[in-house]
């Protein structure tokens, strides 16, 4: 799961020192909606996410751990770095994606390209568009050389009580039907610290995520050319 990047989109040279670390816990309802088709999917996902801006750009990563009833089934991580030494809102973007499961490693991917980043004056609205070359290191079917387009957004509203954020990825993969993979995870959060009756240091947010995928989630029959919409209930603590 790729995560909110909410602050990451705000960008970056204008905020020379900015950092955000959060921990999330999600419970998803895949088997409740799709029955045995997704009975192999772990219910719980824990995420550690961090973003840090500096005078040369920004660093972002997240690590997901997917848990069954008694053990961790898999882990997945993404690490990215953006560099910008100029005033134009275009940054150099480099990224690594990869992970492990009980059956072996996920296909590593290395990405490089450009990111156009925008934010309004108070940073309550942010947006990023990334156009990237993608190298699929362990690809067995189709070319290892690919591309990816990504958008990421974040919107704070209701005096900071609510946040709507997320991402959408589209990339080419010759090993799947139609040669395209789509993944999006919009999130909605209620930020309790923004309520007048709650202490500012109580950084708990409650919300939901909707995982929208095509050609990415693998059902029990091993055929992944399907669209899924999988909601979660989630809690997040921001440090």
């Amino acid at each position: 799961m790729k995560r909110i990047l909410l602050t990451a989109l705000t960008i970056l040279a204008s905020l020379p020192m900015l950092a955000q670390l959060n921990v999330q816990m999600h419970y998803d309802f895949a088997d409740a909606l799709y029955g045995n088709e997704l009975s192999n999917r772990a219910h719980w996902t824990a995420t550690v996410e961090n973003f840090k801006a500096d005078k040369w750009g920004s660093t972002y990563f997240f690590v997901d751990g997917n848990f069954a009833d008694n053990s961790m089934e898999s882990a997945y991580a993404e690490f990215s770095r953006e560099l910008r030494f100029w005033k134009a809102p275009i940054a150099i973007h480099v990224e690594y994606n990869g992970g492990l499961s009980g059956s072996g490693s996920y296909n590593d991917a290395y990405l490089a390209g450009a990111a156009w980043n925008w934010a309004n004056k108070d940073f309550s609205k942010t947006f990023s568009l990334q156009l990237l070359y993608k190298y699929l290191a362990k690809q067995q079917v189709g070319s290892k050389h690919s591309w990816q387009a990504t958008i990421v957004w974040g919107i704070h509203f209701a005096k900071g009580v609510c946040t709507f954020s997320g991402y959408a990825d589209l990339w080419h993969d010759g090993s799947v039907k139609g040669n395209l993979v789509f993944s999006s995870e919009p999130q909605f959060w209620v930020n309790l610290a923004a309520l007048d009756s709650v202490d500012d240091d109580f950084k708990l947010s409650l919300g939901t995520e909707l995982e929208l995928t095509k050609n990415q989630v693998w059902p029990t029959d091993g055929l992944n050319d399907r669209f899924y919409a999988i909601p979660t209930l989630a809690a997040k603590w921001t440090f």
Side-chain angles (χ1 to χ4, degrees):
M1 291 178 164
K2 191 176 201 174
R3 297 295 175 245
I4 43 179
L5 291 184
L6 170 62
T7 314
L9 304 193
T10 37
I11 323 305
L12 298 198
S14 59
L15 296 179
M17 293 299 294
L18 176 64
Q20 185 186 63
L21 171 69
N22 70 74
V23 177
Q24 305 174 26
M25 181 63 76
H26 293 259
Y27 181 89
D28 85 28
F29 296 91
D31 60 350
L33 292 175
Y34 297 99
N36 290 333
E37 187 174 335
L38 293 181
S39 61
N40 59 344
R41 183 180 171 94
H43 286 152
W44 292 99
T45 297
T47 298
V48 177
E49 179 183 46
N50 190 58
F51 169 78
K52 174 70 181 298
D54 54 56
K55 62 184 178 180
W56 301 287
S58 65
T59 301
Y60 171 79
F61 71 84
F62 77 86
V63 180
D64 279 346
N66 299 307
F67 295 86
D69 292 336
N70 298 311
S71 63
M72 178 184 287
E73 288 193 344
S74 62
Y76 176 77
E78 296 190 4
F79 300 86
S80 67
R81 174 69 192 180
E82 290 196 354
L83 294 171
R84 196 181 82 173
F85 305 102
W86 45 85
K87 292 184 178 180
I90 304 294
I92 298 169
H93 182 103
V94 293
E95 184 175 332
Y96 164 78
N97 307 160
L100 295 169
S101 70
S103 59
S105 64
Y106 296 137
N107 289 347
D108 294 340
Y110 302 87
L111 302 94
W116 177 77
N117 300 307
W118 172 87
N120 66 348
K121 289 183 178 180
D122 63 0
F123 299 100
S124 62
K125 298 180 178 66
T126 61
F127 180 82
S128 179
L129 171 64
Q130 302 164 13
L131 300 176
L132 307 170
Y133 163 77
K134 187 170 189 175
Y135 180 73
L136 303 168
K138 298 180 180 180
Q139 184 79 305
Q140 300 298 317
V141 178
S143 175
K144 295 177 182 290
H145 303 284
S146 181
W147 55 265
Q148 179 171 305
T150 295
I151 62 170
V152 192
W153 70 89
I155 303 171
H156 290 299
F157 59 99
K159 298 182 179 180
V161 174
C162 299
T163 298
F164 176 58
S165 58
Y167 80 94
D169 285 339
L170 180 70
W171 71 92
H172 183 273
D173 186 334
S175 69
V176 302
K177 186 175 181 179
N179 298 327
L180 292 174
V181 180
F182 173 77
S183 176
S184 181
E185 292 181 358
Q187 296 183 339
F188 176 79
W189 297 101
V190 176
N191 307 304
L192 301 184
L195 297 171
D196 292 338
S197 58
V198 178
D199 191 288
D200 291 346
D201 292 327
F202 190 70
K203 300 293 188 179
L204 179 66
S205 301
L206 302 176
T208 183
E209 175 182 274
L210 183 61
E211 182 178 356
L212 305 171
T213 64
K214 171 69 173 179
N215 278 342
Q216 187 181 38
V217 172
W218 289 86
T220 54
D221 63 11
L223 301 175
N224 71 328
D225 59 332
R226 303 172 194 174
F227 176 82
Y228 292 103
I230 304 169
T232 76
L233 286 179
K236 175 175 67 173
W237 188 273
T238 301
F239 294 90

